[in-house]
Amino acid sequence: MNAMTQEPASQTQDLRILSYAEAIREAMAIAMEADPTVILMGEDIGVYGGAFQVTLDLVDRFGTDRVMDTPISELGGAGVAVGAALTGLKPIFEFQFSDFAMLAMEQIVNQAAKLRYMLGGEASVPVVFRLPSGSGTGAAAQHSQSIEAWFGHVPGLKVLQPSTPEDAKGMLLAALADPDPVMIFEHKLLYKMKGHVPEGSYLTPIGKALVRRVGTDVTIVAGSIMLHRALEAAEKLSSEGINVEVIDLRSIRPIDHETILTSVRKTGRLMVVYEGVKAFGVGAEISAMVAESDAFDFLDAPILRLGAADAPVPYNPDLERASVPQVDTIEAAARRLTRREV
Amino acid sequence: MTQPDNRPFAIRTYAPDQLREALKRMYLIRRFEEGAEDCYTRGLIHGTMHLSIGQEASAMATCLELTDDDKITSTHRGHGHCIAKGADVGRMFAEFFGKETGYCHGRGGSMHIADVKTGNLGANGIVGGGLPIAVGSALSAKRLCKSDVTVCFFGDGANNEGAFHEALNMAAVWKLPVVFVCENNGYGMSTSTARSTAVKHISERAASYSMPGVTVDGNDFSAVAEAVHIAVARARAGDGPSLVENLTYRWRGHSKSDRNRYRTKEEIEEWMTRDPIARFRAELIAHGLLDDAGANAIEAAAIADMEAGIEFAKVSPSPKLSEVTRYVYAEN
Ligand SMILES: Cc1ncc(C[n+]2csc(CCOP(=O)(O)OP(=O)(O)O)c2C)c(N)n1
Ligand SMILES: [Mg+2]
């Protein structure tokens, strides 16, 4: 695929607005038009259009041979995608909810992630897994999880988390261009979010975080929907004279150490905000990474993690909201951190 | 010499009171689902829900002769199973409303309702999730020398999960007292069984696991009751598992996000003429167990229960925010 690697659009480009879901759909269509080996697989991705309407009308454009409804067979379906990727196809496999990837752990973790290594580099598994993820929909414990960190623990995988329509498209195209298995955690609450999306093909670099807001007092690292909550909190804090730098993590594996360390050396304070359960999560990895580095000497306050409550995602809407970081909790935590009231 | 009794199985087998109670519970399921749908449309409930309108005979006739010691495992489309097994609709609505008085104290919602006291081990958000659990429950009964059986409800879509095949095999190998009840409503979400499943009848899959398999009209109360009766008797006798396939249909969309693009209006309307409740009601009347006024009174009583349930839910307290991690682990 011919494509240019690029960072977010500059002001000179067209300002075409698409939703996050539309951007992902456009990426799939571009890839399918350019490359006949790209196929889509998943449950109800045909006439139903996918549980979140991401594939919508792609079956009308590309037919049922390339937009394949699978039976409700996550382990088998993911395994078929892995086998097909091993032998010349480029499948994009949609899990209806990221939670159902657990039924396919064997194929993702024991097979897809390890095949290249086990075969001494003689094989390649260019499969892309798309995983609608996150809470906030009232779907409770088995349909609301944020399990991206689990896959951060698996060498052989790449794990992405787009926060904008532009990145959602660019990351999917980058994932397809990548010779190794890539998991893209899409946030359900972002599907309707609108934003500028460049035309044509472009690749969002895998493994690169991005400073979305420049600041001097505290660094907040957040991805996916948490980026937006962090930006909103930062905006509110700026009126109090607290100047927050916000980094969009974008990629959990590989993780962009340098962008984070550079920022921490500047601000001297670090907060990691994520939707997964706080313990053993993305925050632990980033905190440890900073603690192990020279940036540790620049810290003026302890590192702070904000993650989900130590519980499954509850059904009751108030409990559900209370169980994951929100704008006000991020705001309060950043205020505490900058005033060193930790 | 006495004449052979040609009446339908349920009519000739069960007490009239039990059958009238079954009709009431079927009405209750329907009214509950309609009430839930209405609350959802009016924004009183969030999340999603899977309604079982049109499948009431399958739930009720299957649970007809189960006791509170007998167990069921249910599915995402589980409200009917829950009511058929004897749950209180007030506590069910309370769960829908996310209230502390709900069956899951507001933590679970529609997809996770369970009522362990009446033997309902729970709905499940994971397709196929209940199948191995049912086998485990049957294993307990066998090891602990109890006579209870476990009925495992699952959909046609679930029969393509690995868990289905693994569960049936173990149940057969260990001769466990479990009855697998497939509610084949023709579709797993948008995917018809013809497009998802290699066999015509899911009951055919029983043969691979050396157990009896039978397909019945799931909208015919008596047909379901008879098939399940035979399977339960076999399980209780220690002869092992069976598979019963109830052919039925869901009148509503899969969930609240369904645009119904995969089936026709004609198909839906055709199935609506085979209303399991109307059929059972007519059968009870035809055999003199009920008259029209009596049936209307039963229906009215179901509506009253439903309305009282919603009222109870509305006035119930919400869980405390400070207790978001409560029930994750056992409390001292
Ligand atoms: C493991 C898993 N995969 C997919 C889903 C999403 N999903 C929920 S219900 C459903 C269809 C299930 O079909 P069936 O078993 O026939 O039950 P029905 O909905 O028809 O009652 C699907 C695909 C899920 N909840 N769990
Ligand atoms: Mg079905």
Side-chain angles (χ1 to χ4, degrees), chain A residues 43-44 72 74 96 100 103 143, chain B residues 76-77 125-127 155-158 161 185 187-189 254:
Chain A
E43 292 162 15
D44 308 286
I72 309 174
E74 289 79 12
Q96 202 162 76
F100 310 155
L103 283 82
H143 289 72
Chain B
H76 57 285
R77 204 173 300 289
I126 300 299
V127 170
D156 49 285
E161 289 282 17
N185 57 13
Y187 297 89
M189 228 160 134
H254 165 72

PDB file of all heavy atoms in Angstrom, chain A residues 43-44 72 74 96 100 103 143, chain B residues 76-77 125-127 155-158 161 185 187-189 254, ligand 1:
ATOM      1  N   GLU A  43     -18.689 -11.249  13.874  1.00  0.00           N
ATOM      2  CA  GLU A  43     -20.082 -11.607  14.102  1.00  0.00           C
ATOM      3  C   GLU A  43     -20.989 -10.447  13.719  1.00  0.00           C
ATOM      4  O   GLU A  43     -20.783  -9.319  14.183  1.00  0.00           O
ATOM      5  CB  GLU A  43     -20.280 -11.999  15.575  1.00  0.00           C
ATOM      6  CG  GLU A  43     -19.559 -13.303  15.893  1.00  0.00           C
ATOM      7  CD  GLU A  43     -19.338 -13.542  17.379  1.00  0.00           C
ATOM      8  OE1 GLU A  43     -19.968 -12.858  18.199  1.00  0.00           O
ATOM      9  OE2 GLU A  43     -18.514 -14.413  17.707  1.00  0.00           O
ATOM     10  N   ASP A  44     -21.939 -10.715  12.859  1.00  0.00           N
ATOM     11  CA  ASP A  44     -22.951  -9.717  12.472  1.00  0.00           C
ATOM     12  C   ASP A  44     -22.347  -8.450  11.869  1.00  0.00           C
ATOM     13  O   ASP A  44     -22.854  -7.353  12.075  1.00  0.00           O
ATOM     14  CB  ASP A  44     -23.839  -9.374  13.683  1.00  0.00           C
ATOM     15  CG  ASP A  44     -24.418 -10.618  14.333  1.00  0.00           C
ATOM     16  OD1 ASP A  44     -25.333 -11.203  13.753  1.00  0.00           O
ATOM     17  OD2 ASP A  44     -23.916 -11.035  15.394  1.00  0.00           O
ATOM     18  N   ILE A  72     -21.103 -17.623  15.936  1.00  0.00           N
ATOM     19  CA  ILE A  72     -20.653 -17.101  17.233  1.00  0.00           C
ATOM     20  C   ILE A  72     -19.590 -18.069  17.739  1.00  0.00           C
ATOM     21  O   ILE A  72     -19.871 -19.007  18.477  1.00  0.00           O
ATOM     22  CB  ILE A  72     -21.831 -16.964  18.213  1.00  0.00           C
ATOM     23  CG1 ILE A  72     -22.963 -16.177  17.544  1.00  0.00           C
ATOM     24  CG2 ILE A  72     -21.372 -16.241  19.493  1.00  0.00           C
ATOM     25  CD1 ILE A  72     -24.222 -16.104  18.373  1.00  0.00           C
ATOM     26  N   GLU A  74     -15.772 -17.303  18.726  1.00  0.00           N
ATOM     27  CA  GLU A  74     -14.636 -16.383  18.801  1.00  0.00           C
ATOM     28  C   GLU A  74     -13.300 -17.106  18.705  1.00  0.00           C
ATOM     29  O   GLU A  74     -12.396 -16.658  17.989  1.00  0.00           O
ATOM     30  CB  GLU A  74     -14.678 -15.560  20.085  1.00  0.00           C
ATOM     31  CG  GLU A  74     -15.787 -14.514  20.120  1.00  0.00           C
ATOM     32  CD  GLU A  74     -17.147 -15.101  20.451  1.00  0.00           C
ATOM     33  OE1 GLU A  74     -17.209 -16.279  20.874  1.00  0.00           O
ATOM     34  OE2 GLU A  74     -18.147 -14.382  20.306  1.00  0.00           O
ATOM     35  N   GLN A  96     -16.995  -8.573  18.653  1.00  0.00           N
ATOM     36  CA  GLN A  96     -18.178  -7.725  18.814  1.00  0.00           C
ATOM     37  C   GLN A  96     -18.017  -6.794  20.019  1.00  0.00           C
ATOM     38  O   GLN A  96     -18.427  -5.642  19.978  1.00  0.00           O
ATOM     39  CB  GLN A  96     -19.406  -8.608  18.946  1.00  0.00           C
ATOM     40  CG  GLN A  96     -20.678  -7.898  18.587  1.00  0.00           C
ATOM     41  CD  GLN A  96     -21.796  -8.882  18.311  1.00  0.00           C
ATOM     42  OE1 GLN A  96     -22.348  -9.448  19.250  1.00  0.00           O
ATOM     43  NE2 GLN A  96     -22.135  -9.085  17.054  1.00  0.00           N
ATOM     44  N   PHE A 100     -15.080 -10.286  24.511  1.00  0.00           N
ATOM     45  CA  PHE A 100     -15.164 -11.633  23.934  1.00  0.00           C
ATOM     46  C   PHE A 100     -13.813 -12.116  23.411  1.00  0.00           C
ATOM     47  O   PHE A 100     -13.677 -13.266  22.999  1.00  0.00           O
ATOM     48  CB  PHE A 100     -16.215 -11.691  22.814  1.00  0.00           C
ATOM     49  CG  PHE A 100     -17.548 -11.112  23.217  1.00  0.00           C
ATOM     50  CD1 PHE A 100     -18.420 -10.611  22.259  1.00  0.00           C
ATOM     51  CD2 PHE A 100     -17.936 -11.071  24.542  1.00  0.00           C
ATOM     52  CE1 PHE A 100     -19.634 -10.065  22.624  1.00  0.00           C
ATOM     53  CE2 PHE A 100     -19.154 -10.516  24.916  1.00  0.00           C
ATOM     54  CZ  PHE A 100     -19.999 -10.017  23.957  1.00  0.00           C
ATOM     55  N   LEU A 103     -12.507 -15.280  24.960  1.00  0.00           N
ATOM     56  CA  LEU A 103     -12.804 -16.615  24.442  1.00  0.00           C
ATOM     57  C   LEU A 103     -11.773 -17.030  23.399  1.00  0.00           C
ATOM     58  O   LEU A 103     -11.690 -18.194  23.036  1.00  0.00           O
ATOM     59  CB  LEU A 103     -14.208 -16.659  23.822  1.00  0.00           C
ATOM     60  CG  LEU A 103     -15.365 -16.735  24.811  1.00  0.00           C
ATOM     61  CD1 LEU A 103     -15.711 -15.372  25.360  1.00  0.00           C
ATOM     62  CD2 LEU A 103     -16.585 -17.373  24.174  1.00  0.00           C
ATOM     63  N   HIS A 143     -19.524  -6.705  29.332  1.00  0.00           N
ATOM     64  CA  HIS A 143     -19.546  -5.978  28.055  1.00  0.00           C
ATOM     65  C   HIS A 143     -18.970  -4.575  28.181  1.00  0.00           C
ATOM     66  O   HIS A 143     -19.297  -3.700  27.397  1.00  0.00           O
ATOM     67  CB  HIS A 143     -20.983  -5.829  27.537  1.00  0.00           C
ATOM     68  CG  HIS A 143     -21.611  -7.091  27.041  1.00  0.00           C
ATOM     69  ND1 HIS A 143     -22.010  -8.099  27.863  1.00  0.00           N
ATOM     70  CD2 HIS A 143     -21.922  -7.500  25.782  1.00  0.00           C
ATOM     71  CE1 HIS A 143     -22.544  -9.077  27.147  1.00  0.00           C
ATOM     72  NE2 HIS A 143     -22.499  -8.736  25.883  1.00  0.00           N
TER      73      HIS A 143
ATOM     74  N   HIS B  76     -28.486 -14.429  27.991  1.00  0.00           N
ATOM     75  CA  HIS B  76     -28.741 -12.992  27.880  1.00  0.00           C
ATOM     76  C   HIS B  76     -30.229 -12.724  27.663  1.00  0.00           C
ATOM     77  O   HIS B  76     -30.709 -11.661  27.993  1.00  0.00           O
ATOM     78  CB  HIS B  76     -27.947 -12.415  26.709  1.00  0.00           C
ATOM     79  CG  HIS B  76     -28.250 -13.095  25.413  1.00  0.00           C
ATOM     80  ND1 HIS B  76     -27.770 -14.357  25.114  1.00  0.00           N
ATOM     81  CD2 HIS B  76     -29.026 -12.727  24.374  1.00  0.00           C
ATOM     82  CE1 HIS B  76     -28.233 -14.715  23.929  1.00  0.00           C
ATOM     83  NE2 HIS B  76     -28.999 -13.768  23.452  1.00  0.00           N
ATOM     84  N   ARG B  77     -30.942 -13.678  27.077  1.00  0.00           N
ATOM     85  CA  ARG B  77     -32.382 -13.523  26.871  1.00  0.00           C
ATOM     86  C   ARG B  77     -33.091 -14.288  27.991  1.00  0.00           C
ATOM     87  O   ARG B  77     -33.832 -15.226  27.754  1.00  0.00           O
ATOM     88  CB  ARG B  77     -32.779 -14.078  25.483  1.00  0.00           C
ATOM     89  CG  ARG B  77     -34.072 -13.482  24.927  1.00  0.00           C
ATOM     90  CD  ARG B  77     -34.327 -13.939  23.484  1.00  0.00           C
ATOM     91  NE  ARG B  77     -33.264 -13.551  22.587  1.00  0.00           N
ATOM     92  CZ  ARG B  77     -33.016 -12.293  22.195  1.00  0.00           C
ATOM     93  NH1 ARG B  77     -33.792 -11.326  22.586  1.00  0.00           N
ATOM     94  NH2 ARG B  77     -31.992 -12.024  21.400  1.00  0.00           N
ATOM     95  N   GLY B 125     -23.966 -12.897  30.140  1.00  0.00           N
ATOM     96  CA  GLY B 125     -23.667 -11.973  29.047  1.00  0.00           C
ATOM     97  C   GLY B 125     -22.803 -12.595  27.973  1.00  0.00           C
ATOM     98  O   GLY B 125     -22.616 -12.015  26.909  1.00  0.00           O
ATOM     99  N   ILE B 126     -22.293 -13.760  28.269  1.00  0.00           N
ATOM    100  CA  ILE B 126     -21.406 -14.422  27.320  1.00  0.00           C
ATOM    101  C   ILE B 126     -22.153 -15.575  26.670  1.00  0.00           C
ATOM    102  O   ILE B 126     -22.610 -16.493  27.354  1.00  0.00           O
ATOM    103  CB  ILE B 126     -20.136 -14.933  28.042  1.00  0.00           C
ATOM    104  CG1 ILE B 126     -19.377 -13.761  28.680  1.00  0.00           C
ATOM    105  CG2 ILE B 126     -19.242 -15.710  27.087  1.00  0.00           C
ATOM    106  CD1 ILE B 126     -18.892 -12.694  27.713  1.00  0.00           C
ATOM    107  N   VAL B 127     -22.274 -15.519  25.359  1.00  0.00           N
ATOM    108  CA  VAL B 127     -22.973 -16.582  24.644  1.00  0.00           C
ATOM    109  C   VAL B 127     -22.232 -17.901  24.884  1.00  0.00           C
ATOM    110  O   VAL B 127     -21.025 -17.990  24.660  1.00  0.00           O
ATOM    111  CB  VAL B 127     -23.040 -16.263  23.138  1.00  0.00           C
ATOM    112  CG1 VAL B 127     -23.546 -17.471  22.365  1.00  0.00           C
ATOM    113  CG2 VAL B 127     -23.947 -15.057  22.902  1.00  0.00           C
ATOM    114  N   GLY B 155     -29.098 -20.588  23.314  1.00  0.00           N
ATOM    115  CA  GLY B 155     -29.694 -20.262  22.021  1.00  0.00           C
ATOM    116  C   GLY B 155     -29.059 -21.049  20.889  1.00  0.00           C
ATOM    117  O   GLY B 155     -28.036 -21.709  21.065  1.00  0.00           O
ATOM    118  N   ASP B 156     -29.668 -20.951  19.725  1.00  0.00           N
ATOM    119  CA  ASP B 156     -29.102 -21.617  18.547  1.00  0.00           C
ATOM    120  C   ASP B 156     -27.699 -21.079  18.255  1.00  0.00           C
ATOM    121  O   ASP B 156     -26.818 -21.817  17.830  1.00  0.00           O
ATOM    122  CB  ASP B 156     -30.009 -21.409  17.333  1.00  0.00           C
ATOM    123  CG  ASP B 156     -30.396 -19.946  17.162  1.00  0.00           C
ATOM    124  OD1 ASP B 156     -31.242 -19.470  17.936  1.00  0.00           O
ATOM    125  OD2 ASP B 156     -29.843 -19.284  16.268  1.00  0.00           O
ATOM    126  N   GLY B 157     -27.506 -19.796  18.516  1.00  0.00           N
ATOM    127  CA  GLY B 157     -26.193 -19.219  18.227  1.00  0.00           C
ATOM    128  C   GLY B 157     -25.101 -19.833  19.086  1.00  0.00           C
ATOM    129  O   GLY B 157     -23.960 -19.991  18.650  1.00  0.00           O
ATOM    130  N   ALA B 158     -25.462 -20.199  20.311  1.00  0.00           N
ATOM    131  CA  ALA B 158     -24.472 -20.722  21.252  1.00  0.00           C
ATOM    132  C   ALA B 158     -23.948 -22.087  20.839  1.00  0.00           C
ATOM    133  O   ALA B 158     -22.875 -22.505  21.270  1.00  0.00           O
ATOM    134  CB  ALA B 158     -25.076 -20.790  22.649  1.00  0.00           C
ATOM    135  N   GLU B 161     -20.320 -22.302  19.665  1.00  0.00           N
ATOM    136  CA  GLU B 161     -19.188 -22.013  20.548  1.00  0.00           C
ATOM    137  C   GLU B 161     -18.531 -23.336  20.948  1.00  0.00           C
ATOM    138  O   GLU B 161     -19.217 -24.344  21.166  1.00  0.00           O
ATOM    139  CB  GLU B 161     -19.662 -21.289  21.824  1.00  0.00           C
ATOM    140  CG  GLU B 161     -20.124 -19.860  21.617  1.00  0.00           C
ATOM    141  CD  GLU B 161     -18.966 -18.860  21.476  1.00  0.00           C
ATOM    142  OE1 GLU B 161     -17.818 -19.269  21.212  1.00  0.00           O
ATOM    143  OE2 GLU B 161     -19.247 -17.650  21.640  1.00  0.00           O
ATOM    144  N   ASN B 185     -34.470 -19.906  18.008  1.00  0.00           N
ATOM    145  CA  ASN B 185     -35.384 -18.885  17.480  1.00  0.00           C
ATOM    146  C   ASN B 185     -34.955 -18.437  16.084  1.00  0.00           C
ATOM    147  O   ASN B 185     -35.334 -17.382  15.603  1.00  0.00           O
ATOM    148  CB  ASN B 185     -35.495 -17.695  18.444  1.00  0.00           C
ATOM    149  CG  ASN B 185     -34.130 -17.073  18.728  1.00  0.00           C
ATOM    150  OD1 ASN B 185     -33.160 -17.362  18.049  1.00  0.00           O
ATOM    151  ND2 ASN B 185     -34.072 -16.218  19.734  1.00  0.00           N
ATOM    152  N   TYR B 187     -32.278 -17.368  14.758  1.00  0.00           N
ATOM    153  CA  TYR B 187     -31.189 -16.409  14.530  1.00  0.00           C
ATOM    154  C   TYR B 187     -30.315 -16.249  15.764  1.00  0.00           C
ATOM    155  O   TYR B 187     -30.810 -16.254  16.887  1.00  0.00           O
ATOM    156  CB  TYR B 187     -31.752 -15.014  14.203  1.00  0.00           C
ATOM    157  CG  TYR B 187     -32.554 -14.965  12.928  1.00  0.00           C
ATOM    158  CD1 TYR B 187     -33.927 -15.229  12.947  1.00  0.00           C
ATOM    159  CD2 TYR B 187     -31.943 -14.669  11.717  1.00  0.00           C
ATOM    160  CE1 TYR B 187     -34.670 -15.202  11.778  1.00  0.00           C
ATOM    161  CE2 TYR B 187     -32.685 -14.628  10.538  1.00  0.00           C
ATOM    162  CZ  TYR B 187     -34.045 -14.897  10.577  1.00  0.00           C
ATOM    163  OH  TYR B 187     -34.771 -14.862   9.414  1.00  0.00           O
ATOM    164  N   GLY B 188     -29.041 -16.089  15.528  1.00  0.00           N
ATOM    165  CA  GLY B 188     -28.134 -15.547  16.525  1.00  0.00           C
ATOM    166  C   GLY B 188     -27.885 -14.125  16.061  1.00  0.00           C
ATOM    167  O   GLY B 188     -27.241 -13.913  15.042  1.00  0.00           O
ATOM    168  N   MET B 189     -28.464 -13.192  16.731  1.00  0.00           N
ATOM    169  CA  MET B 189     -28.448 -11.801  16.283  1.00  0.00           C
ATOM    170  C   MET B 189     -28.968 -11.730  14.843  1.00  0.00           C
ATOM    171  O   MET B 189     -30.130 -11.987  14.627  1.00  0.00           O
ATOM    172  CB  MET B 189     -27.050 -11.213  16.430  1.00  0.00           C
ATOM    173  CG  MET B 189     -27.087  -9.863  17.122  1.00  0.00           C
ATOM    174  SD  MET B 189     -25.518  -9.432  17.813  1.00  0.00           S
ATOM    175  CE  MET B 189     -25.403  -7.765  17.253  1.00  0.00           C
ATOM    176  N   HIS B 254     -33.154  -8.319  18.128  1.00  0.00           N
ATOM    177  CA  HIS B 254     -32.197  -8.984  19.010  1.00  0.00           C
ATOM    178  C   HIS B 254     -32.016  -8.208  20.310  1.00  0.00           C
ATOM    179  O   HIS B 254     -32.052  -8.750  21.391  1.00  0.00           O
ATOM    180  CB  HIS B 254     -30.846  -9.140  18.313  1.00  0.00           C
ATOM    181  CG  HIS B 254     -29.745  -9.490  19.264  1.00  0.00           C
ATOM    182  ND1 HIS B 254     -29.651 -10.736  19.838  1.00  0.00           N
ATOM    183  CD2 HIS B 254     -28.737  -8.744  19.791  1.00  0.00           C
ATOM    184  CE1 HIS B 254     -28.616 -10.746  20.668  1.00  0.00           C
ATOM    185  NE2 HIS B 254     -28.044  -9.553  20.655  1.00  0.00           N
TER     186      HIS B 254
HETATM  187  C1  LIG C   1     -19.040 -14.857  23.505  1.00  0.00           C
HETATM  188  C2  LIG C   1     -20.034 -13.892  22.982  1.00  0.00           C
HETATM  189  N1  LIG C   1     -20.024 -13.615  21.672  1.00  0.00           N
HETATM  190  C3  LIG C   1     -20.915 -12.741  21.167  1.00  0.00           C
HETATM  191  C4  LIG C   1     -21.816 -12.138  21.971  1.00  0.00           C
HETATM  192  C5  LIG C   1     -22.779 -11.101  21.417  1.00  0.00           C
HETATM  193  N2  LIG C   1     -24.101 -11.698  21.317  1.00  0.00           N
HETATM  194  C6  LIG C   1     -24.962 -11.610  22.335  1.00  0.00           C
HETATM  195  S1  LIG C   1     -26.333 -12.480  22.067  1.00  0.00           S
HETATM  196  C7  LIG C   1     -25.812 -12.958  20.545  1.00  0.00           C
HETATM  197  C8  LIG C   1     -26.671 -13.847  19.728  1.00  0.00           C
HETATM  198  C9  LIG C   1     -26.941 -15.118  20.434  1.00  0.00           C
HETATM  199  O1  LIG C   1     -27.749 -15.918  19.658  1.00  0.00           O
HETATM  200  P1  LIG C   1     -28.510 -17.144  20.290  1.00  0.00           P
HETATM  201  O2  LIG C   1     -27.565 -17.982  21.082  1.00  0.00           O
HETATM  202  O3  LIG C   1     -29.227 -17.812  19.193  1.00  0.00           O
HETATM  203  O4  LIG C   1     -29.514 -16.490  21.317  1.00  0.00           O
HETATM  204  P2  LIG C   1     -30.737 -15.504  21.007  1.00  0.00           P
HETATM  205  O5  LIG C   1     -30.185 -14.123  21.076  1.00  0.00           O
HETATM  206  O6  LIG C   1     -31.268 -15.823  19.669  1.00  0.00           O
HETATM  207  O7  LIG C   1     -31.705 -15.741  22.103  1.00  0.00           O
HETATM  208  C10 LIG C   1     -24.563 -12.437  20.276  1.00  0.00           C
HETATM  209  C11 LIG C   1     -23.806 -12.627  19.038  1.00  0.00           C
HETATM  210  C12 LIG C   1     -21.786 -12.443  23.345  1.00  0.00           C
HETATM  211  N3  LIG C   1     -22.608 -11.864  24.216  1.00  0.00           N
HETATM  212  N4  LIG C   1     -20.898 -13.342  23.811  1.00  0.00           N
END
